[in-house]
Amino acid sequence: MAGKQKRKLEDLSVDEFLLSGFDSAGEDESEKEAPKQNGLKKKKKDLKSAAFNKDEKMVGKASEHKEQLSRLKNKDPEFYKFLQENDQTLLNFDDTDSSGDEDEKKYHRLPSTLEEASSGDDDDEEEEAGQKGSKKSKKAAETIKVTDKMIEDWKAAIKKEPTPRLFREVTQAFKAAVATTKGEGGGQCRYKVADSSVFNALVLFCIRDIYVALQRILNLKPDKDQRKLVLPSSSPRWQKNQIDIKMYLSGVVQLLSCLTEATVISAVLRHANQLVPYYLCLPKQCRHLVKQLMKQWSTGEETCRVLAFLALNKICRHKEELYLNPILKQMYISYVQNCKFTSPNALPMINFMQRTLTEMYALDSQATYQHAFIYIRQLAIHLRNAMTMKKRETYQSVYNWQYVHCLYLWCRVLSTLHPSDVLQPLIYPLCQVIIGTIKLVPTSRYYPLRMHCCRALTLLSSSTNTFVPVVPFLLEIFQQVDFNKKPGRMSKKPINFAVILKLSKVNLMEKAYKDGLIDQLYDLMLEYFHTQANSIGFPELTLPTVIQLKAFLKECKVANYCKPVRQLLEKVQENSSHITGRRQKAAFGVADATAVAAWEKQVQEEGTPLSRYYSQWKKMREKEIQLEISGKERMEDLDLPEIKRKKIQEKKAEDKKEFKDLFQSDSESEDDDAGFKIKGKKDSRGSDDDDDEDLEDLCDMSDDGNSDDDDDDGDEKASKAPQPLSSSALLKLAEGDKDLVVDLELSDDD
């Protein structure tokens, strides 16, 4: 068709071309462009694209018309010349000639299309906003307020026959109640809880009855083997109720994160412990629960800590491969964070965390070895840096409560899990780290830290049947401390070695320091010898100790210190003689390890003098500690009157006022008073705990026969005594007048 049209155009004359050729070309081109335009409309279906295609079509028509005129020059030069002479504008036709129309079309097209598109979008947005507003208003209108009567109806229905629909309604109400704890106001919940009494009743109802209802809905029956956990996902009804159960479990975790009252937290933790099988089927909710349990285990009240630990232990026992390692890591980090400060109030909590963490490590010895190896190596690296660098910062990285409590934790773990071939290789490096800690700064100020390390070594040695030389570190104290030296000052209260690591210079001068030191040495040596009391080599083990204790008793002149040491020496010698007597009756050699172990076991069952004494002493010691704790509590409750004593300066001022006219003070006495005032200033500086030089002066003063208080009293008396008379006059005054002897005249009656 196109070819025919082209041949016709070639055969046309100029007049025919002017009359019909342009129109046919235009029609031809329009026919060509029509399918293109239709195709674009089908593809884009947009008003803007259609208008853009029209403009392109107009520009294309103008350019094609210009080409036709250029071809006319070759085909019909006479007519082309005629046009040049008569109508030049027709030949100079250009695409720009249609710019006016284009601008006009653009002017009309662009705003119209933009306005149409924007207005349409705005209308759509307004319609959507209106629809959303209507939906919200409908939801607000549909929100049901929970009442006490509804809760009672739910309670009765769920006890009678729990159904999935009823559980969904209760879950929706519980979700609305939990949302109010964070100020969300219920969100998109179907129900609304506005009253605190309704909130309490709903939460109490869920805690008491939901677990039993869920068991009945899913038709779960407990396994005959109680150790084996029945997972709810094994029920055929699990998929149908999974969404509602997931919503309820999330609500329990959210409620747990918002509560502050210890009793309510305990109740929710008990409920969460029941729901642990359900949490194990939903990993995301279980992770959230573990996070809250970890928080309660490390920072909650005593009951909450215990319940949180039970839930964590239950999760790890039944999904060990999934949760044990991350939980152990997080628990260890929480333990270290809580050990930063140690006080009499915090010590029971630290001991609880230590024992419960040991129980968690007992679940899997392989995982325990990996954790213990990493953390003991970390402790050893800190110790190595302190020994090589010898800086204050590196010393502080070792001599702190976190380091000491971590040492004691690993001693307890290895002791509790002792017969274990997996953990056996860790005993030796741990002992070396503890001994290196003792030797790092072996000064008297760090004796409390040495006591803690010796106690940890004693625990490790006794539980793992490993010989650790603990006694030399204790006997060294007898050689370093001069117990005959009189204390520089008296202390108000005894020093509690259980909650300190370092002694101040003032503590080293107090009487309570030496008293507490003797008690600690007695306790630690008795505990260590008790662990070795049934050993066949006990006499040889205690021989160096017996020699050093006898030497101490010869040198020490303080009866209060000699008494406990002498008692310890007697008990050790008595046990040595008992073991020696039993050994003489033995018929096996030292090399027979099996016979030696059997003999030691028999001796342990029969008991030794030292073990019997230790059991009695332990009971008495525990009673003393309880009495001390209860005594402190009773003393805090009592409102005792305070005795207000006048200061020395106030006494002086009163004496001066009272005896102002009695003695006439001369220049010498004024000078003496001034000298006393200066000395008093020196004494007041000497009592400052922070000044090390004055503390050394006080230590030197404590070597004299008289104490500082006696010296001060003597100085006071010397300064106050008036000195108006010479020494000869004082002697005469002391002698007085000579006595006169008079003969007595007796009467006859006498």
Side-chain angles (χ1 to χ4, degrees):
M1 185 71 183
K4 290 180 180 179
Q5 286 179 352
K6 285 182 180 179
R7 284 195 299 272
K8 287 180 179 179
L9 285 172
E10 291 176 358
D11 298 335
L12 286 174
S13 62
V14 175
D15 295 333
E16 291 173 347
F17 170 76
L18 291 175
L19 292 173
S20 61
F22 182 79
D23 295 334
S24 63
E27 290 172 4
D28 217 21
E29 293 298 324
S30 64
E31 287 177 1
K32 290 180 181 179
E33 293 294 331
K36 293 182 181 178
Q37 186 175 350
N38 293 333
L40 290 171
K41 283 182 180 179
K42 288 179 181 178
K43 289 180 182 178
K44 297 185 179 180
K45 296 181 181 180
D46 192 8
L47 293 172
K48 185 176 179 179
S49 60
F52 183 75
N53 292 334
K54 282 184 178 181
D55 292 340
E56 285 184 347
K57 185 179 76 171
M58 295 301 296
V59 173
K61 285 183 179 181
S63 59
E64 288 176 2
H65 184 57
K66 187 177 179 181
E67 289 177 1
Q68 290 176 357
L69 290 174
S70 64
R71 287 196 301 270
L72 183 65
K73 182 179 179 180
N74 298 327
K75 292 182 179 181
D76 197 353
E78 294 180 356
F79 179 71
Y80 188 82
K81 187 176 180 181
F82 173 78
L83 289 176
Q84 283 181 338
E85 292 175 355
N86 297 314
D87 195 358
Q88 188 71 23
T89 57
L90 183 63
L91 293 176
N92 295 333
F93 182 85
D94 195 14
D95 294 344
T96 56
D97 292 347
S98 62
S99 62
D101 296 335
E102 276 184 41
D103 292 338
E104 186 177 353
K105 289 179 182 179
K106 285 180 182 178
Y107 175 77
H108 291 292
R109 177 178 57 80
L110 286 175
S112 62
T113 53
L114 290 174
E115 286 174 4
E116 286 177 2
S118 63
S119 63
D121 293 342
D122 291 341
D123 294 340
D124 293 340
E125 289 176 1
E126 288 176 3
E127 289 177 3
E128 289 177 3
Q131 290 176 0
K132 287 181 180 179
S134 62
K135 286 180 181 179
K136 287 183 179 179
S137 61
K138 287 180 181 178
K139 284 184 179 179
E142 291 175 0
T143 302
I144 303 170
K145 187 176 181 181
V146 181
T147 60
D148 292 329
K149 187 178 182 302
M150 291 173 63
I151 296 173
E152 292 297 327
D153 294 340
W154 286 337
K155 191 182 296 185
I158 213 165
K159 284 183 178 180
K160 185 178 180 181
E161 186 179 356
T163 60
R165 182 177 181 181
L166 180 61
F167 175 69
R168 186 178 296 111
E169 292 178 358
V170 175
T171 302
Q172 290 285 345
F174 182 74
K175 180 183 177 183
V178 172
T180 60
T181 59
K182 288 192 175 182
E184 296 175 2
Q188 299 180 355
C189 299
R190 180 183 174 187
Y191 294 94
K192 181 181 179 182
V193 178
D195 193 1
S196 60
S197 61
V198 175
F199 174 85
N200 294 336
L202 181 60
V203 171
L204 188 63
F205 158 60
C206 291
I207 289 174
R208 286 181 176 176
D209 300 330
I210 286 296
Y211 174 72
V212 179
L214 275 175
Q215 295 289 98
R216 292 175 63 187
I217 290 172
L218 299 178
N219 196 20
L220 293 175
K221 296 179 180 179
D223 197 278
K224 294 180 180 179
D225 186 6
Q226 296 181 355
R227 296 180 182 178
K228 189 176 180 181
L229 193 69
V230 179
L231 293 178
S233 57
S234 61
S235 172
R237 304 178 185 178
W238 168 256
Q239 292 294 335
K240 185 178 180 181
N241 299 277
Q242 183 178 358
I243 297 174
D244 297 327
I245 293 173
K246 188 184 296 185
M247 185 191 303
Y248 181 74
L249 297 181
S250 300
V252 172
V253 175
Q254 186 178 348
L255 179 64
L256 195 60
S257 64
C258 300
L259 296 174
T260 56
E261 183 65 30
T263 54
V264 184
I265 293 174
S266 300
V268 178
L269 283 173
R270 287 190 181 91
H271 184 51
N273 199 358
Q274 288 180 324
L275 295 171
V276 162
Y278 293 88
Y279 280 103
L280 292 177
C281 300
L282 302 168
K284 183 179 179 181
Q285 281 69 27
C286 191
R287 286 195 299 270
H288 294 165
L289 177 66
V290 167
K291 186 178 180 181
Q292 292 302 320
L293 293 175
M294 202 71 66
K295 179 183 175 183
Q296 294 299 328
W297 177 77
S298 58
T299 60
E301 297 292 332
E302 185 177 358
T303 308
C304 301
R305 287 173 183 271
V306 175
L307 292 169
F309 163 71
L310 292 175
L312 286 170
N313 188 270
K314 192 174 183 180
I315 290 172
C316 289
R317 277 190 289 109
H318 296 289
K319 280 293 179 90
E320 190 175 297
E321 68 285 350
L322 188 61
Y323 295 106
L324 182 61
N325 278 316
I327 286 177
L328 286 178
K329 183 178 179 181
Q330 191 60 42
M331 288 179 78
Y332 183 79
I333 293 171
S334 301
Y335 171 76
V336 175
Q337 290 173 348
N338 280 272
C339 292
K340 191 171 185 180
F341 303 104
T342 303
S343 64
N345 295 329
L347 195 58
M349 178 267 294
I350 294 172
N351 290 333
F352 166 77
M353 295 182 73
Q354 193 178 101
R355 293 174 183 276
T356 52
L357 187 52
T358 303
E359 290 292 326
M360 297 295 289
Y361 280 119
L363 293 175
D364 185 6
S365 58
Q366 296 288 342
T368 301
Y369 177 82
Q370 295 175 1
H371 286 261
F373 180 86
I374 292 171
Y375 294 125
I376 293 173
R377 182 174 178 272
Q378 190 178 31
L379 297 173
I381 291 171
H382 283 295
L383 179 62
R384 183 190 63 189
N385 293 337
M387 294 173 70
T388 55
M389 299 176 69
K390 297 182 179 179
K391 292 183 179 180
R392 184 179 179 183
E393 293 78 11
T394 55
Y395 286 149
Q396 287 179 349
S397 66
V398 174
Y399 277 23
N400 59 70
W401 274 118
Q402 290 174 317
Y403 194 92
V404 172
H405 282 304
C406 288
L407 290 176
Y408 206 93
L409 169 68
W410 294 118
C411 286
R412 186 175 291 280
V413 170
L414 297 183
S415 301
T416 305
L417 307 181
H418 170 57
S420 174
D421 295 335
V422 178
L423 300 176
Q424 183 73 23
L426 296 175
I427 296 175
Y428 177 75
L430 182 59
C431 289
Q432 291 300 314
V433 171
I434 298 174
I435 292 172
T437 305
I438 295 174
K439 293 181 178 180
L440 183 62
V441 186
T443 59
S444 57
R445 295 188 66 180
Y446 289 102
Y447 280 161
L449 185 139
R450 179 180 295 204
M451 306 293 181
H452 290 293
C453 292
C454 289
R455 192 167 281 110
L457 286 174
T458 303
L459 173 66
L460 187 62
S461 175
S462 62
S463 302
T464 60
N465 297 324
T466 306
F467 174 74
V468 182
V470 179
V471 177
F473 300 113
L474 301 175
L475 295 175
E476 189 180 1
I477 298 174
F478 285 109
Q479 299 174 354
Q480 293 178 349
V481 179
D482 185 6
F483 287 93
N484 289 323
K485 187 177 180 180
K486 291 189 177 180
R489 53 184 291 175
M490 300 298 292
S491 56
K492 297 180 181 178
K493 56 183 179 180
I495 299 173
N496 189 356
F497 280 79
V499 292
I500 58 172
L501 291 178
K502 180 182 176 183
L503 294 165
S504 64
K505 291 188 176 181
V506 176
N507 292 139
L508 296 177
M509 295 160 46
E510 294 178 347
K511 183 177 180 296
Y513 158 66
K514 293 181 180 178
D515 295 345
L517 202 59
I518 287 291
D519 291 340
Q520 289 292 314
L521 291 171
Y522 180 85
D523 294 353
L524 286 169
M525 293 181 74
L526 183 60
E527 286 180 5
Y528 181 77
F529 285 131
H530 164 68
T531 61
Q532 306 292 332
N534 60 332
S535 174
I536 198 167
F538 186 83
E540 290 76 19
L541 175 65
T542 58
L543 182 60
T545 305
V546 171
I547 294 172
Q548 291 202 32
L549 291 182
K550 286 182 178 179
F552 172 78
L553 291 173
K554 287 182 180 179
E555 295 176 0
C556 184
K557 306 300 180 185
V558 183
N560 290 335
Y561 301 156
C562 291
K563 183 179 177 181
V565 174
R566 186 177 289 110
Q567 187 179 17
L568 177 65
L569 179 61
E570 290 174 357
K571 296 300 177 184
V572 169
Q573 288 178 331
E574 183 182 358
N575 200 80
S576 297
S577 59
H578 175 75
I579 295 295
T580 304
R582 291 293 301 268
R583 278 195 316 193
Q584 291 175 354
K585 300 176 183 179
F588 52 86
V590 180
D592 192 355
T594 307
V596 169
W599 184 87
E600 288 180 348
K601 185 177 181 181
Q602 183 181 359
V603 171
Q604 184 179 7
E605 292 174 354
E606 293 177 359
T608 61
L610 188 61
S611 61
R612 286 190 288 268
Y613 172 75
Y614 176 80
S615 60
Q616 295 176 358
W617 170 84
K618 192 71 175 175
K619 292 178 182 177
M620 293 177 61
R621 186 65 177 162
E622 290 175 354
K623 287 181 180 179
E624 288 177 2
I625 294 172
Q626 291 176 0
L627 287 173
E628 286 179 5
I629 296 171
S630 61
K632 286 179 183 178
E633 293 175 353
R634 287 198 300 267
M635 292 296 289
E636 289 174 357
D637 296 337
L638 294 175
D639 295 329
L640 298 176
E642 295 181 0
I643 300 174
K644 295 182 179 180
R645 295 178 179 176
K646 296 180 180 179
K647 296 181 180 179
I648 297 174
Q649 295 179 356
E650 294 178 0
K651 288 182 179 179
K652 288 180 187 177
E654 290 183 2
D655 293 342
K656 286 180 180 179
K657 289 179 182 179
E658 187 175 354
F659 303 107
K660 182 169 63 176
D661 301 329
L662 186 58
F663 298 106
Q664 295 293 330
S665 61
D666 53 2
S667 60
E668 293 180 0
S669 63
E670 290 175 359
D671 294 339
D672 293 336
D673 290 337
F676 176 72
K677 288 178 182 176
I678 294 171
K679 189 172 183 181
K681 289 181 181 178
K682 288 182 180 179
D683 290 338
S684 64
R685 284 199 303 270
S687 63
D688 190 2
D689 297 341
D690 299 329
D691 196 342
D692 295 337
E693 295 179 0
D694 293 336
L695 289 173
E696 291 177 2
D697 295 339
L698 285 174
C699 292
D700 295 335
M701 290 169 64
S702 65
D703 294 336
D704 300 334
N706 297 326
S707 63
D708 294 341
D709 297 337
D710 297 337
D711 293 341
D712 292 342
D713 294 339
D715 293 337
E716 278 185 45
K717 291 176 182 177
S719 61
K720 286 183 180 180
Q723 300 173 353
L725 300 175
S726 62
S727 59
S728 60
L730 287 171
L731 288 172
K732 289 181 181 179
L733 184 61
E735 291 175 358
D737 298 333
K738 292 182 179 180
D739 296 333
L740 297 175
V741 180
V742 180
D743 295 334
L744 297 176
E745 295 179 359
L746 300 174
S747 63
D748 295 337
D749 298 335
D750 298 334

